Amino acid sequence: MSAWLPTAPCTPEDCVAAPHPAVGPGRQLLRAASCAALLLAGAALAPLVRGCCTPVLRERLVRRWARLVIGSLGVELRAGPAPRTDGGVRTDRGVRTDRGVLLVANHVSWLDILLVAAVRPSRMLAKTEVRAWPLLGPVAAWAGTLFLDRDRLRTLPATVDAIAAALRRGERVAVFPEGSTWCGRRGGRFRPALFEAAVRAGATVQPMALSYRLADGRTATVAAFVGEDGLLSSLRRVLAARGLVAEVEFRAPIPAGAVGRRELAAAAQAAVFGTPVLPAPAAPVESVRHVADRLPAAA
């Protein structure tokens, strides 16, 4: 992976090593079996749902399935009021748009993908490695996920074009503009590249704040998927966690209007975090410019 890609200082040893309340082995096994059954069912039924169901029914089925998977892992989902669809014109708390919605959220865990699907099913932007994940990867591919090769960022402009085209068609696309996962106690800077798609399409940006807590209200890092952490080790922590709560909060939507991608990124970041976040690490090679800065501006 390129050394100048967005990175977070979070590591499993520094951020996830603290002990958390845990359930017994029997409960963990039951959770794993239930989750695997739901993922297998999702992988088997995804082509049928995608090809035969109406958009409204498909969205309801995806939302219900994602909530079942989250529940099977022993995670309680708490979500604020979600934007709605009204008469074929998407409405996001008073902001009307027929150009689609770009959902942007902070990134903590692989669970984030399920949280988005459970409250606002969308086309996801994910790293190419997700396609190879057992069970969840095939489901993501069948759901129309857009994949970005983080090792070949020269493909980023084409990815932005694809997102903009989807937004023009009135679709919802969900992205994690930090470019990397953080532990949940801190967050990263929202990179402006993906916001160029909203500018080009004239789409609304819908910020979402994702957080994980224990039943007593303390911030939990048990779900974090950071550093050199492996998917299986992260999954085992979630399966063992007792009283893990995932919270989703929608912030006020931001119309793209005449502002540029950097202004949109800064506004969305402020909406999600409410406070300044840690600065992104500087590129180790001064001659290397981020691909995002070479994207052509919207007309």
Side-chain angles (χ1 to χ4, degrees):
M1 182 175 291
S2 302
W4 52 282
L5 282 172
T7 57
C10 307
T11 65
E13 295 77 15
D14 295 334
C15 303
V16 195
H20 296 276
V23 299
R27 178 67 61 86
Q28 295 178 39
L29 183 60
L30 179 60
R31 288 177 176 180
S34 300
C35 179
L38 287 167
L39 290 176
L40 282 171
L45 296 176
L48 178 64
V49 171
R50 183 176 173 83
C52 301
C53 295
T54 64
V56 173
L57 178 58
R58 181 165 62 244
E59 183 169 313
R60 289 176 179 171
L61 291 174
V62 170
R63 185 185 295 113
R64 180 58 178 164
W65 173 82
R67 287 175 179 259
L68 287 173
V69 175
I70 293 169
S72 73
L73 294 168
V75 180
E76 178 186 353
L77 173 62
R78 297 177 185 172
R84 26 170 223 193
T85 301
D86 185 12
V89 179
R90 286 179 173 78
T91 356
D92 292 283
R93 293 191 177 179
V95 178
R96 299 174 63 84
T97 175
D98 57 0
R99 292 292 188 93
V101 175
L102 182 69
L103 294 173
V104 298
N106 58 306
H107 203 9
V108 178
S109 171
W110 50 270
L111 267 172
D112 299 345
I113 300 171
L114 291 169
L115 297 188
V116 174
V119 298
R120 202 66 167 132
S122 311
R123 293 190 69 179
M124 302 291 304
L125 177 67
K127 59 184 180 180
T128 52
E129 291 87 342
V130 172
R131 194 195 297 266
W133 285 1
L135 299 182
L136 192 57
V139 173
W142 276 108
T145 297
L146 300 166
F147 294 100
L148 173 64
D149 188 344
R150 285 168 50 88
D151 290 331
R152 299 175 60 245
L153 283 192
R154 66 174 63 93
T155 64
L156 180 57
T159 301
V160 172
D161 289 341
I163 296 173
L167 294 174
R168 292 190 192 101
R169 292 192 297 267
E171 299 178 17
R172 287 191 301 271
V173 181
V175 302
F176 302 109
E178 289 168 292
S180 180
T181 49
W182 291 63
C183 69
R185 292 195 181 105
R186 295 176 291 180
R189 181 171 68 89
F190 278 18
R191 306 293 170 133
L194 299 176
F195 291 88
E196 178 68 20
V199 174
R200 293 181 185 178
T204 293
V205 174
Q206 175 65 68
M208 298 169 54
L210 310 181
S211 60
Y212 296 88
R213 303 186 184 278
L214 299 178
D216 60 9
R218 289 180 295 157
T219 298
T221 60
V222 63
F225 184 46
V226 293
E228 298 302 318
D229 203 3
L231 178 60
L232 290 180
S233 61
S234 177
L235 175 61
R236 282 195 294 267
R237 288 197 306 270
V238 172
L239 290 172
R242 181 187 297 274
L244 183 60
V245 178
E247 298 182 343
V248 181
E249 289 292 335
F250 289 91
R251 308 303 194 202
I254 308 168
V259 300
R261 59 177 180 257
R262 289 177 177 81
E263 292 80 5
L264 276 179
Q269 176 182 307
V272 169
F273 294 112
T275 57
V277 299
L278 293 180
V285 182
E286 292 183 359
S287 62
V288 177
R289 294 181 59 200
H290 199 286
V291 171
D293 292 329
R294 298 201 298 269
L295 287 171

